[in-house]
Amino acid sequence: MKRAALILPLLAPGCAGIQSANGRDAVQGALIGRLFDVFLGVAVVVYALVIVYLALALLRGRRHRRRESGLQGEPAPSLERPWRIGLILFASATALILFGLAIATWLTDRALAKAGAEAPLEVEVIGNQWWWEVRYQDPVASRIVRTANELHLPVGQTTRLTLKSNDVIHSMWIPNLSGKQDMIPGRESDLALHPTRTGTFRAQCAEFCGMQHANMALDVTVESPADFRRWYEAQLVPQPAPGGAAAAGYAIFQNRQCASCHAVGGTPASGQVAPDLTHVASRNTIAAGALPMSRENLARWVSDPQAVKPGNNMPKVPLSQSELGALVAYLETLK
Amino acid sequence: MSLRFPEVIAAMLMLAATGCHRESRDYRSLALQAQDRTKAFGGNAFHLAQGQRLYAWMNCAGCHSHGGGGMGPPLRDDEWRYGGSLPEIVTTILDGRPNGMPSFRGKITEDQAWQLATYVRSLSARTREDILSGRADEPSNVEPPVLDERKPVRRVTPRQDDASEE
Amino acid sequence: MKRPPPYLLVILAVLVLAVAVGASLMAAQGKPAQPVFGQRADHLAALPGPTARAQPASWFAAPGNGEWTAQLGDPSATRFSPLGEINAANVGSLRTEFTFDTHNKRGHEAGPLVVGGTMYVTTPYPNDVYALDLTKPGHPIKWHYAPKPAQASQGVACCDVVNRGAAYAGGRLFFNTLDGQTIALDAASGSEVWRTKLADINKGETITMAPLVAEGRVLVGLSGGEMGVRGSLTALDAGSGAIAWKAYSTGPDADVLIGPEFKPFYPAEQGKDLGVHTWNPDGWRIGGGNPWGWISYDPELHLIYYGTGNPGPWSSLQRPGDNKWTAGIFARVVRTGQARWFYQSSPHDLFDYDDVNESVLLDIPWRGQMRKVIARPSRTGFFMIIDRETGQVLSAAPFAHVNTALRIDMRTGRPVVNPAKEPQSGRITRNICPAAPGGKDWNPSAFSPRTGLVYIPHNNLCMDEGEVQANYIAGTPYLGADARMYAGPGGNRGVLTAWDPVANRAVWRIREDLPVWSGALATAGDVVFYGTLDGVFKAVDARSGRLLWQRKLSSGIISMPMTYQGPDGRQYVAVFAGVGGWSGAIVSGGLDPADPTSALGFVNAVRDLIPRTDAGGRLYVFALP
């Protein structure tokens, strides 16, 4: 019993919090969770019955052998029939239970498909080594929001994610909301989400994709539709060149290596191969969830990305202390 | 002969010791501090692979295609206008050249330029085969482009100190 | 072993015999014989009768005094000469009168101009201008002007460092340099009158086009659709070189000079700031739409017609939306630049279908009455007849093999895109016809009022294309696509088609082995001149397409032939040999055919050009003996 109890703390991180595999904070997650409960319940009952049966078999067998060594007689004929009936009952019960579980699975699958049928919000998520590009679709092309490493979803509405990859196979997994879906280069897959409670969650890449696979996380914020609209409109606002204190950092950003890969809307920097930084300061984390957002962490990341995520594609740009300070001050204005 | 447990362990340890010279992935570009940068960058598969990605990201493919040329001259052949040694290619990339090669100083870091130069040299079979890239990161499904056999470098504009090739 | 039954032996013998016969048949077949292209015309339809024939515009005046003052001949872009001394009967005896070497090994796309006994010649980078005195024996150089454009501009020119020629007006010669300057020279002395800088090569901008002079304005468009350049057309004052107006091809209406006069015909073109809202945010700032091609001018309506180039990047998945105002035709009031109408021939262009080809201004009989139209062999492979007052598409028929669009929807004017040819990221789409150079690229066609036919020198190319993510770094290419071109159906890579714009169908067609990259010239002698990529200059009968005369020149021909009357009263025909351009870059740039994606995929289509021709610019002038 003591040994069994040791397992419980291991279960806890996986079963609670912002990255909970048992999370039921979306319709999809809840459906799968319900199926999981059915399976768990059935399995526990069957397991208990099997253990009881095994115990009985062991005890009975011992008594049977004692009787045999003492007397010389055949086993009572009444013992055979119960065994036979038991066997038939057991086999049919197993078949019925399995069939029932299959029906339950099929019903869950149908419910999942129905839940994702109509999606008023479409988002494209493109996996890169080791960051996520997120593009919200809109029939008016100029209202498309391009961001990185974060996903905002309105609660109570279905969102369809179209998943692609630019290099190797990644996998989108938001444990609280839904199951995993692979992102395969050259193909498009999709994932429907219908969150049912607000909150912040953490998604994780679930297919080994290289050295920094473990550090490829995504912040998912589920908020009320009004808050979501507010966030969306804020994302559409460009960031023209600032004056004053941030101007020095702006000049460094535009004239040095930053603009070769990153983009900031409203400025000449239109690099496409690295996360869009137009509203980077409004995010909760940087470097795909590797560090929480703060001035110190921004400085730490920009000054030496290889120390934080060794092997990732952002080079260590040689910057003096004052240059670093100016650049971080500019990045902090990109709310 | 029958093996006993200690002998088996000893044999396994010896085998393990011999097999694992795995090439270093030089994430911090310590190769920049090396005495012989040509060898440190030019003999490293990680730098070549990163160079291949940078070749697409920095739009080298837009002018030079996949080594065949276009706006810029071909890179797959043995003809080098400004020199075909690794340091000379790095200079070409960082400083630009008179007839249209733009300068990438300030657009990429120095170690990225060395990585690019390593990849560029591999396009004309000037690199050891064991560090060559194994896949072409392009949808055209062609083999990684290399010359069939190495030819001596032809310098189009002659210079006094002709750098020797490895 | 028991002896097998007799019937099994018979079956076995029959099988062995069948295999043997089949194998020997296959071996004997070998490769099919290589067809010979370029020597015969295929007859497809009857010539139009006199009442059903296209006419030049009512105000049309062919070049007078035997002169040639513009690359397209006249503002309605007919490339027609009224000189008739050389005709179908005597062209067979044409011989070389003189040649002029430019000592320049890049692609020569420009043709010479002849005004008042002087011939004016422009070269590719470094864009030298020569004036040859035709009145003196030996045609000595009267003056030579060297603009010395920036060396670095060679690195931002997508398709060889070409120049499409000068324009003459009011005693001045106007031309553009690769590094983006428009220069006006005094035609008599060669001295510089003014020079205006319009482009910044650090942003990838260059200029290769021939300017158009109309109503005191010199019209110049930028190049750079492959470099993330935001396209624009500028009108300079012909007297001073000051900028009169500038119309961008993307962005807010104020930048595109779209105002209350703008009345596009189709609903998709109507709306506010479409140049912003049909792009992803900020996409229009690096969106292309460069008007690097031909401009026509209607002096009655006071309108200019020109096309805008491809949107950038080539990778269409990165720029959702219709991408206005790229890949379409603008009609603008020439003095103010205000847009009158716009028609987008390739909304959300997927295949680099720049719409910069020539707009031939014609009057055609349409359903009982004469209609003022633009006749355009478009990059999309469709021959478009568009009303030049309103922008309505009257007719569209494919003149090349097209599978990217199922048809043009006449209600909306939009092409119906073939869903099988839509790109997907990371995957190759195969057999896209026409290929990126289109059914026809920039090289202009010619129209003969005597036959009513438009003579289209064009391509028959298809391609495979794959899209990858493009990255934008100013001054470097903004592409995101790998392409590989090859011959279209039939195996010939080029065609000269004689097209009837009224019936909108081909009348006859000469299939050429190589893509035809030269312009066409039609004369009153009922002869049509054009040249091939490996240097054969040809004269064919304007009515039947019969080959009348040909001569192999020292280099491939990608320029525009012209004809003039010399001071001695004789008719001369002049053409530049000098392979290069996008099609001939494999020779002029020394590219490597082992990489099929070189030169944006063109190298794969013309690998055999290397042994067939050399680079080197030389002007040939022919006349009757």
Side-chain angles (χ1 to χ4, degrees), chain B:
Chain B
M1 115 190 160
S2 72
L3 285 171
R4 292 187 312 164
F5 189 66
E7 281 88 333
V8 170
I9 295 293
M12 280 167 61
L13 282 171
M14 279 198 324
L15 279 172
T18 54
C20 276
H21 180 65
R22 184 171 174 272
E23 181 184 72
S24 63
R25 295 207 184 169
D26 185 10
Y27 299 137
R28 311 203 45 81
S29 282
L30 298 167
L32 275 180
Q33 275 104 52
Q35 280 285 55
D36 184 359
R37 284 186 185 180
T38 298
K39 197 140 161 242
F41 277 101
N44 186 287
F46 171 72
H47 289 306
L48 195 147
Q50 282 299 101
Q52 179 170 357
R53 305 190 77 175
L54 288 166
Y55 190 86
W57 289 341
M58 295 300 133
N59 297 326
C60 315
C63 284
H64 294 282
S65 304
H66 297 287
M71 293 191 235
L75 300 175
R76 301 178 74 156
D77 56 12
D78 55 348
E79 184 184 300
W80 296 89
R81 291 184 200 181
Y82 307 106
S85 70
L86 211 58
E88 283 167 321
I89 299 176
V90 172
T91 308
T92 298
I93 294 172
L94 286 176
D95 294 337
R97 294 289 185 182
N99 282 312
M101 172 69 193
S103 158
F104 280 84
R105 192 181 296 283
K107 295 196 169 83
I108 57 176
T109 58
E110 205 182 339
D111 59 317
Q112 287 181 318
W114 280 88
Q115 289 172 340
L116 270 169
T118 307
Y119 175 68
V120 165
R121 270 172 64 87
S122 81
L123 290 175
S124 57
R126 312 213 70 78
T127 319
R128 281 179 12 227
E129 273 193 41
D130 61 335
I131 66 164
L132 281 182
S133 169
R135 66 166 194 269
D137 285 333
E138 51 194 74
S140 35
N141 293 335
V142 296
E143 292 295 312
V146 286
L147 274 184
D148 285 331
E149 57 178 72
R150 280 177 56 167
K151 300 189 171 78
V153 162
R154 278 191 296 130
R155 182 182 290 281
V156 175
T157 50
R159 221 174 62 163
Q160 277 129 324
D161 47 319
D162 211 337
S164 63
E165 296 307 315
E166 53 170 357

Side-chain angles (χ1 to χ4, degrees), chain C residues 181-229:
Chain C
Q181 302 180 78
T182 306
I183 301 179
L185 302 177
D186 176 64
S189 60
S191 59
E192 184 183 305
V193 180
W194 53 254
R195 174 195 279 239
T196 306
K197 189 155 164 56
L198 292 175
D200 178 5
I201 57 172
N202 294 316
K203 295 206 286 205
E205 301 172 351
T206 52
I207 303 182
T208 56
M209 54 101 79
L212 178 84
V213 187
E215 292 188 26
R217 301 271 188 257
V218 179
L219 294 150
V220 179
L222 291 186
S223 298
E226 277 66 45
M227 311 290 290
V229 169

Side-chain angles (χ1 to χ4, degrees), chain A residues 259-312:
Chain A
S260 301
C261 297
H262 289 285
V264 175
T267 71
S270 303
Q272 305 286 317
V273 296
D276 188 296
L277 298 180
T278 312
H279 299 280
V280 61
S282 68
R283 296 179 196 156
N284 299 327
T285 61
I286 48 172
L291 296 169
M293 172 66 70
S294 73
R295 172 175 301 184
E296 297 72 37
N297 283 338
L298 268 176
R300 190 174 146 203
W301 170 250
V302 170
S303 65
D304 195 353
Q306 297 298 321
V308 180
K309 273 169 96 163
N312 91 90

